[in-house]
Amino acid sequence: MSQYQWDWLVIFENVTDTDEFYYQWLISGLGWTLLIALSAWVIALILGTIIGTARTLPNKFVAGIATAYVELFRNIPLIVQLFMWFFVLPEMVPTNIGNWMKQDMPHPGIITSIIGLGLFTAARVAEQIRTGILALPRGQKNAGLALGLTLAQTYRHVLLPMAFRVVIPPLTSEFMSIFKNSAVAYSITATELFFQMKQITGDYKPANQIEVVTIVGLIYILVAFSANRIMTFIERRVQVPGYISGGK
Amino acid sequence: MISIKNVSKWYGNFQVLTDCTTEVKKGDVVVVCGPSGSGKSTLIKCVNALEPFQKGDIVVDGTSIADPSTNLPKIRSRVGMVFQHFELFPHLTITRNLALAQEKVLGRSKDEAMTKGLALLERVGLKDHAHKFPGQLSGGQQQRVAIARALAMDPIVMLFDEPTSALDPEMVNEVLDVMVELAQEGMTMMCVTHEMGFARKVAHRVIFMDKGHIVEDCAKEEFFGDLNSRSERARHFLSKILQH
Amino acid sequence: MQLDWSSIPRASNALWEGFQFSISLTAFAALAGIILGTLLAMARLSSIKPLSMIASGYVNIFRSTPLVIVIYWFYVVLPFIIGRPIGAEHSAYVTFAIFEAAYFCEIMRAGIQSIPKGQVYAGSALGFTYGQNMRYIILPQAFRNVVPLLLTQTIILFQDTSLVYVLGATDLFGAADKIAHRDNTLLEMYVTVAVIYFVISFFLSRLVKHLHSKIAIIR
């Protein structure tokens, strides 16, 4: 170990016996990482908003189902959830669908990761949305209703627009998390960044693991940092004049 | 216009309203007062069904509030309400605050809603602030906008729920002036307030509530004119708030 | 589809061993993470610029990096530092303590900041040093205020220990995965661990909620 041969340029080397380069693998992995995270984020935002809103509704039955969803998806580790979708679900559904999932579905690892990560993150987004709605002054709902808006219109025009603004800071951390969590997708064969890193360090360049892992770690930090900047930008854009968050 | 009949309401086992009965006729200005916790805010919120009640009925312009088949948004759109904490929508400009329900509930066009809103803003003296956001106005200005927002729906009656109690003292009058003007124009009004000056000036009737009961319900002249024939509780209350 | 639940009792010994590793990893990382995190929080809030910068750098780096990559990074770097191979399990202990410290730091920082400044003044006026103020006045109150948050983070940590899968370590999930492949009982094993994780996390989070309402009353 004492004679470690440092080679930080290892990722620019040719892959043995091919005309590809390691950095190309990493770029391709990064592309899949971004695709998985962003697609899952769309699912998480839409579903999370619906579920978070449902938890605040007066209808006990609807609110109960939404609560059950959140508890279920929050209390099982992500990797176990992904394994459930990838290995268990195809056995649970009718045989012909199961066979299609196992044999003919394009990019099974990627698709399953997007859905699994999206459903997982939706539970967390739902909690933020719910907290955001409950944080609004109670009179806001009354004011909307008193004007003759229906409950749905009150949510659509009064409560949700403000709730979204209130939850942007906590959503920022969820947005960063979804890129980080997407790395777990490697375990169900999604060829994203971490998967590529494991390929390189495991089978191809076991002598330069530290460099490759460090470089990939830095790429992830850069992605998380960019995600944070994007959300801060959005937060500034939608800021309500004269309204200090946490104030009245 | 508003007929409250034997309304009782409980929070769990705790009774907040007991057998309340009163009436607000067209053109009436009725002031509801009473110590905090007397149920006056709860009662006024029952009128447009923001608070449900378990017994009795309230009939607004011929429509029963307790009837489950009543279209609540429809009746609420005809009853204007002004809240203690203004409750303007912070993410919308003043003009959008005024226009939103006109468009979504009454189906008015954007132009129509805007014109109506601006006219009412002019009336409450805030036309210059049309494009600001609520957070950029003082409390008194926000409350005047809130009154304009309610008026924009062409209400048949206006409910005021302690409209000046969250305001700094120097802003109380700008809001009361608007309310007085409204009363003098003949608007039907039900006002929960401690502003006895306002009551003396424009009210027709005064209702005094305590512990969920309507204790006094009489003409203004009677209420203020003959303090000795008032109930013990009403006198006690009035002696406290009229001292200064 | 033929489910063979009889495989579960046969697997219970191995699962139990994996479970014990998960729990001890969680307990160690929580304890070490809270101690290290508290020190980091004090450093972050320190008026000594370099100290607070180092601490916030530490926190930001770990909070921006996927846990799987941190686990893997330490696994390849630790042997280089200590000069001899280190097992997956020992590596995991070190990694989780260091990684979780960044998250516990943020909780402790919020806790310390929740204590009104007047408390520090009062302590200083009595002649307490900075250390005494922290030890006797600030940290006890801060700690009590954030106990629910620390426990919630520990539940998340318990679920996150499943990621030692990346090192092939035998925690609860790793044990289940190995048995699943050995006995060809993927479904039974994955469903079983999912249920175990759910039951434990769910009931612990209920407990935290209950505790939270109790603490809220005391305050």
Side-chain angles (χ1 to χ4, degrees):
Chain A
M1 291 277 170
S2 48
Q3 277 101 40
Y4 196 91
Q5 297 292 316
W6 292 100
D7 179 12
W8 288 94
L9 297 176
V10 59
I11 61 163
F12 294 107
E13 280 175 25
N14 223 217
V15 180
T16 326
D17 300 335
T18 68
D19 50 5
E20 290 176 34
F21 294 88
Y22 290 116
Y23 77 88
Q24 291 173 323
W25 288 15
L26 293 183
I27 289 173
S28 145
L30 176 62
W32 286 116
T33 289
L34 297 179
L35 180 88
I36 292 171
L38 291 174
S39 313
W41 184 241
V42 173
I43 296 177
L45 266 191
I46 296 171
L47 193 62
T49 303
I50 295 171
I51 293 167
T53 305
R55 285 197 73 182
T56 68
L57 291 179
N59 185 320
K60 287 255 171 16
F61 181 69
V62 175
I65 289 179
T67 305
Y69 179 95
V70 171
E71 293 296 351
L72 186 64
F73 283 82
R74 259 204 330 190
N75 287 310
I76 298 175
L78 175 59
I79 191 168
V80 179
Q81 289 188 29
L82 292 183
F83 271 55
M84 296 288 279
W85 296 125
F86 197 71
F87 295 110
V88 178
L89 183 69
E91 307 296 335
M92 298 290 204
V93 296
T95 320
N96 50 346
I97 302 177
N99 283 340
W100 177 81
M101 290 168 99
K102 282 186 276 191
Q103 292 156 16
D104 302 326
M105 190 167 85
H107 299 292
I110 304 280
I111 304 260
T112 310
S113 307
I114 289 172
I115 294 171
L117 187 57
L119 295 179
F120 171 82
T121 311
R124 295 149 163 271
V125 171
E127 276 308 88
Q128 308 293 359
I129 297 281
R130 181 178 82 108
T131 314
I133 292 173
L134 294 182
L136 300 177
R138 209 182 123 71
Q140 287 281 301
K141 184 174 159 193
N142 275 343
L145 294 176
L147 284 168
L149 296 173
T150 60
L151 188 62
Q153 285 175 320
T154 304
Y155 269 97
R156 157 80 181 79
H157 297 290
V158 177
L159 300 179
L160 284 176
M162 272 318 284
F164 270 123
R165 289 171 168 86
V166 176
V167 300
I168 287 179
L171 277 189
T172 300
S173 102
E174 288 306 332
F175 189 51
M176 289 168 72
S177 291
I178 208 164
F179 290 99
K180 292 188 280 167
N181 287 335
S182 71
V184 180
Y186 91 91
S187 63
I188 54 167
T189 75
T191 55
E192 46 70 72
L193 186 54
F194 187 75
F195 182 94
Q196 300 290 7
M197 182 208 85
K198 280 208 72 180
Q199 292 270 81
I200 300 172
T201 54
D203 297 337
Y204 291 85
K205 283 286 169 191
N208 295 102
Q209 289 180 331
I210 297 181
E211 295 91 321
V212 177
V213 180
T214 305
I215 288 167
V216 170
L218 289 173
I219 296 175
Y220 272 110
I221 291 175
L222 203 67
V223 169
F225 180 76
S226 314
N228 182 298
R229 290 292 92 191
I230 291 170
M231 289 298 272
T232 310
F233 174 74
I234 294 174
E235 188 182 351
R236 278 210 206 100
R237 281 295 295 273
V238 300
Q239 210 165 40
V240 175
Y243 185 92
I244 303 128
S245 57
K248 190 168 37 174
Chain B
M1 186 69 69
I2 300 174
S3 172
I4 299 172
K5 297 173 199 163
N6 308 101
V7 167
S8 293
K9 174 177 171 66
W10 289 263
Y11 286 126
N13 286 327
F14 180 70
Q15 186 159 14
V16 276
L17 294 176
T18 310
D19 208 20
C20 294
T21 301
T22 189
E23 197 156 350
V24 180
K25 293 202 180 66
K26 192 169 187 323
D28 265 359
V29 175
V30 175
V31 162
V32 184
C33 61
S36 65
S38 61
K40 53 197 192 306
S41 275
T42 308
L43 180 67
I44 202 170
K45 286 197 185 91
C46 287
V47 173
N48 61 352
L50 290 180
E51 291 279 358
F53 46 91
Q54 287 80 27
K55 263 180 71 184
D57 195 7
I58 296 177
V59 177
V60 178
D61 195 32
T63 308
S64 160
I65 297 294
D67 184 348
S69 68
T70 295
N71 182 343
L72 289 178
K74 185 147 190 245
I75 194 77
R76 284 171 182 152
S77 72
R78 306 178 63 207
V79 176
M81 185 160 199
V82 176
F83 297 86
Q84 182 179 4
H85 296 290
F86 333 134
E87 306 299 351
L88 295 178
F89 307 133
H91 60 298
L92 302 176
T93 60
I94 301 304
T95 43
R96 289 304 301 157
N97 260 282
L98 291 163
L100 179 69
Q102 291 190 65
E103 291 167 19
K104 303 295 170 192
V105 179
L106 303 180
R108 287 180 182 155
S109 71
K110 277 206 153 148
D111 285 348
E112 200 183 352
M114 177 72 109
T115 314
K116 176 105 193 168
L118 287 176
L120 283 162
L121 271 187
E122 171 123 59
R123 182 174 163 181
V124 297
L126 291 169
K127 203 171 184 183
D128 297 343
H129 301 280
H131 296 290
K132 289 189 181 168
F133 285 86
Q136 296 167 311
L137 302 187
S138 73
Q141 291 171 327
Q142 289 194 48
Q143 194 60 300
R144 278 144 68 200
V145 172
I147 295 173
R149 179 175 72 179
L151 291 175
M153 305 296 285
D154 294 320
I156 53 171
V157 55
M158 286 281 285
L159 307 176
F160 291 85
D161 183 10
E162 306 208 30
T164 56
S165 57
L167 294 174
D168 291 335
E170 76 270 21
M171 294 174 183
V172 169
N173 280 331
E174 61 185 84
V175 172
L176 287 180
D177 287 346
V178 174
M179 290 170 63
V180 166
E181 206 177 290
L182 211 53
Q184 284 165 348
E185 281 166 19
M187 172 62 80
T188 310
M189 294 163 66
M190 186 170 174
C191 313
V192 172
T193 180
H194 290 163
E195 298 292 339
M196 288 303 126
F198 169 79
R200 280 180 203 269
K201 201 165 178 182
V202 295
H204 300 109
R205 284 208 346 273
V206 178
I207 290 173
F208 173 77
M209 289 185 71
D210 190 27
K211 293 180 184 146
H213 294 266
I214 291 182
V215 181
E216 305 269 357
D217 183 357
C218 56
K220 167 185 65 177
E221 294 75 12
E222 196 187 333
F223 190 83
F224 292 113
D226 183 11
L227 275 182
N228 289 330
S229 58
R230 300 277 63 79
S231 69
E232 169 72 33
R233 281 183 284 182
R235 262 187 292 156
H236 184 67
F237 174 75
L238 287 173
S239 72
K240 274 188 180 163
I241 66 166
L242 290 179
Q243 255 169 15
H244 307 288
Chain C
M1 171 193 55
Q2 212 55 27
L3 282 186
D4 178 17
W5 295 108
S6 64
S7 58
I8 305 296
R10 275 191 279 120
S12 61
N13 268 340
L15 285 180
W16 174 241
E17 278 185 20
F19 180 70
Q20 284 177 313
F21 173 61
S22 294
I23 292 295
S24 73
L25 177 56
T26 304
F28 175 79
L31 201 66
I34 288 173
I35 294 169
L36 192 54
T38 305
L39 295 174
L40 277 169
M42 284 160 63
R44 272 203 88 164
L45 295 171
S46 157
S47 52
I48 305 164
K49 256 271 152 67
L51 199 59
S52 73
M53 274 170 60
I54 291 172
S56 52
Y58 179 105
V59 170
N60 287 333
I61 285 176
F62 281 111
R63 284 170 61 99
S64 307
T65 319
L67 176 53
V68 274
I69 213 163
V70 177
I71 294 172
Y72 206 77
W73 191 82
F74 275 98
Y75 186 62
V76 298
V77 169
L78 283 176
F80 173 74
I81 293 173
I82 62 173
R84 60 189 164 78
I86 182 171
E89 265 130 52
H90 286 111
S91 176
Y93 279 110
V94 177
T95 309
F96 272 82
I98 290 175
F99 182 83
E100 290 298 325
Y103 285 82
F104 284 121
C105 164
E106 288 303 272
I107 295 173
M108 286 311 296
R109 183 168 72 119
I112 293 172
Q113 283 178 320
S114 74
I115 308 304
K117 227 164 167 159
Q119 292 285 307
V120 182
Y121 295 144
S124 305
L126 289 170
F128 283 160
T129 61
Y130 168 82
Q132 287 172 319
N133 256 339
M134 275 293 168
R135 165 82 185 75
Y136 299 112
I137 301 176
I138 308 300
L139 287 182
Q141 297 186 63
F143 196 76
R144 202 190 64 181
N145 287 354
V146 297
V147 162
L149 292 176
L150 293 173
L151 290 175
T152 302
Q153 181 61 33
T154 305
I155 297 170
I156 296 172
L157 159 61
F158 169 62
Q159 294 186 33
D160 280 348
T161 56
S162 59
L163 292 176
V164 295
Y165 175 83
V166 72
L167 304 182
T170 312
D171 68 321
L172 173 60
F173 180 59
D177 188 62
K178 281 168 190 166
I179 299 165
H181 283 100
R182 188 194 66 196
D183 298 352
N184 197 22
T185 51
L186 265 62
L187 266 65
E188 294 86 345
M189 278 298 136
Y190 294 150
V191 171
T192 304
V193 285
V195 170
I196 295 175
Y197 276 112
F198 176 80
V199 168
I200 292 172
S201 304
F202 179 74
F203 282 102
L204 285 180
S205 65
R206 280 289 124 139
L207 209 68
V208 172
K209 218 171 167 186
H210 180 69
L211 191 75
H212 192 57
S213 57
K214 268 200 155 165
I215 288 179
I217 293 166
I218 298 167
R219 231 184 285 154

